Amino acid sequence: NRHYIGYTDIGFARSLDAGKTWTWWDQKGWAPWQNTCYELAFDPETRGRIWGAFSNTHDIPNDNIISGRHKADRPGGVCLSTDFGATWKPSSEGLPAAPATAVVLDPKSQAGARTLYAGVFDKGVFKSVDDGRTWKPASEGLGGEANRRVCRLILHADGTLFALITAKRAGNKFQPDGVGLYCSTDGAASWKLVNGSKPLLWPKDFAVGLQDSGLIYLGASDPGRGNAEGGLHRSTDGGRNWELILRKGPQHFGAYLHPRRPGWVYATLCEDAPGPGLWLSRDQGKTWAAFDDLPFKNIQRVEFDPADDSILYVTTFGGSVWKGPAE
């Protein structure tokens, strides 16, 4: 019955009745960075214990940030809640004062001394082995000197950690340095580029096969006129080879895999979607069908109802959250 929404630009809200009603976080329990909540990580054993990635920079990794219309250098950090998100306190010792865009927890780590990873925009990845109390840099081999704009982390069940570094523009030109999807198999001690055979200048989000970390879906947007990199790209061999499996507009966002319906892949389009912003493939990307009835087409991520696999939650860029049928 506890639902949470992390918003870009307008903070954080929670529901205690399965989304029927919502409470905006109380000012007394605010994080120090109230503008945006990018991600939550839940302790698998301790009820009510949640880590959040917060920032005063919003809209990462969308065009407002990439184009430079919004500043990307406002502070942020990781916070901890022990009361189901009612109140938050900083848990950021060792983190730079920069936007925290991702936080993931290793469920195999010990309760009370959890291993966590945080993505910090333009600063890389940081690791904690003491429940988030202190953090250390963990970016060896990640990105480039001019770009460690981490916007997303995923820790696979097999222990592989993935980090996505998104676009950077200078002088109205997209820069290739550092951009891409990276992985680590040694707890973020070292990183290697996953999409070296398919360079992209503006990746936005990605998904990894639930059973196979070699199955990767990578969403990207066009970096400019005449450069049609946008679409949903897939690798089935850990990034050695890639194929474009869907292009329905210049700015794809990502892909999301149904946890209980094998082969079902949802693809989303964000800004400048010329048609529907949500698509479904039931055969791992061979064929696609659009959600024509969804009344808002600027779509970002998809979440799945843990109690009912026929229900989706769809997050948008500007149109809040929608609930509807999975097909």
Side-chain angles (χ1 to χ4, degrees):
N1 288 323
R2 291 187 175 91
H3 292 191
Y4 303 87
I5 301 176
Y7 277 101
T8 186
D9 197 20
I10 52 176
F12 170 81
R14 66 188 189 117
S15 171
L16 302 180
D17 55 12
K20 296 183 182 66
T21 62
W22 291 86
T23 300
W24 211 249
W25 57 351
D26 189 276
Q27 186 173 355
K28 296 178 181 178
W30 273 357
W33 315 282
Q34 300 97 37
N35 180 271
T36 295
C37 175
Y38 278 106
E39 191 171 29
L40 303 176
F42 298 84
D43 192 293
E45 297 178 42
T46 305
R47 288 167 54 82
R49 195 169 183 82
I50 312 169
W51 290 265
F54 295 94
S55 173
N56 282 342
T57 293
H58 57 277
D59 294 359
I60 298 170
N62 289 330
D63 188 61
N64 285 330
I65 288 295
I66 304 306
S67 68
R69 287 197 299 271
H70 291 174
K71 291 184 178 180
D73 58 355
R74 290 170 179 157
V78 173
C79 289
L80 172 66
S81 174
T82 58
D83 54 10
F84 297 96
T87 62
W88 296 89
K89 293 183 179 180
S91 187
S92 292
E93 183 180 337
L95 291 179
T101 55
V103 59
V104 298
L105 180 149
D106 183 353
K108 298 176 183 177
S109 58
Q110 183 179 353
R114 296 294 190 192
T115 294
L116 296 112
Y117 301 93
V120 182
F121 198 63
D122 222 18
K123 305 297 182 180
V125 171
F126 291 76
K127 181 178 181 178
S128 172
V129 294
D130 58 5
D131 241 30
R133 288 184 287 273
T134 61
W135 299 83
K136 292 183 178 181
S139 298
E140 183 66 35
L142 179 67
E145 290 298 322
N147 185 2
R148 290 196 174 95
R149 289 182 150 194
V150 177
C151 65
R152 178 77 151 149
L153 296 175
I154 290 178
L155 179 61
H156 193 268
D158 69 5
T160 304
L161 181 64
F162 292 86
L164 183 63
I165 294 182
T166 194
K168 188 171 186 177
R169 285 197 341 185
N172 208 32
K173 184 178 181 181
F174 281 77
Q175 306 297 308
D177 183 43
V179 181
L181 181 64
Y182 293 78
C183 74
S184 173
T185 57
D186 55 12
S190 63
W191 296 87
K192 65 177 182 179
L193 182 64
V194 173
N195 65 313
S197 65
K198 183 62 179 180
L200 298 166
L201 290 173
W202 191 0
K204 282 193 168 181
D205 204 3
F206 69 101
V208 183
L210 301 178
Q211 307 299 326
D212 177 12
S213 63
L215 174 61
I216 305 168
Y217 296 87
L218 183 56
S221 292
D222 288 353
R225 294 177 181 178
N227 192 339
E229 293 181 359
L232 183 61
H233 305 265
R234 181 183 65 192
S235 175
T236 60
D237 56 10
R240 288 185 292 276
N241 297 283
W242 293 86
E243 59 178 327
L244 178 67
I245 61 172
L246 185 68
R247 179 180 167 88
K248 292 296 182 180
Q251 293 203 34
H252 276 245
F253 195 82
Y256 309 92
L257 311 182
H258 200 295
R260 293 178 297 281
R261 299 191 182 190
W264 283 37
V265 184
Y266 296 82
T268 61
L269 284 82
C270 192
E271 299 163 281
D272 299 326
L278 180 64
W279 294 75
L280 168 63
S281 173
R282 298 176 180 84
D283 52 17
Q284 288 191 335
K286 296 183 179 69
T287 60
W288 296 87
F291 283 76
D292 291 308
D293 295 334
L294 187 62
F296 194 87
K297 63 184 182 180
N298 202 334
I299 310 300
Q300 294 205 175
R301 290 179 176 147
V302 176
E303 293 289 343
F304 304 91
D305 192 315
D308 185 351
D309 68 3
S310 68
I311 297 296
L312 296 181
Y313 295 90
V314 178
T315 75
T316 71
F317 190 50
S320 198
V321 178
W322 296 76
K323 179 181 179 181
E327 57 182 315

